[in-house]
Amino acid sequence: MNNKYYKRSRISEAKFRHLIRCFSLDLTASETAELTGISLR
């Protein structure tokens, strides 16, 4: 994958894609964190 943002992340590619999908659906950061299991910090 040639995504410079994913390379620096500490999460799996699947979680990264899920995160992007949530934001593309206009979910808030709180809603996205709850759905993906990733903390806001």
Side-chain angles (χ1 to χ4, degrees), residues 3 15-25 32 36:
N3 187 332
K15 279 212 183 213
F16 186 80
R17 289 177 182 266
H18 191 211
L19 188 70
I20 299 301
R21 191 173 299 121
C22 288
F23 280 118
S24 69
L25 294 171
T32 300
T36 60

Side-chain angles (χ1 to χ4, degrees), residues 9-39:
S9 70
R10 295 180 180 162
I11 59 175
S12 68
E13 183 179 349
K15 279 212 183 213
F16 186 80
R17 289 177 182 266
H18 191 211
L19 188 70
I20 299 301
R21 191 173 299 121
C22 288
F23 280 118
S24 69
L25 294 171
D26 282 338
L27 297 178
T28 64
S30 299
E31 293 169 334
T32 300
E34 189 175 318
L35 288 172
T36 60
I38 300 172
S39 70

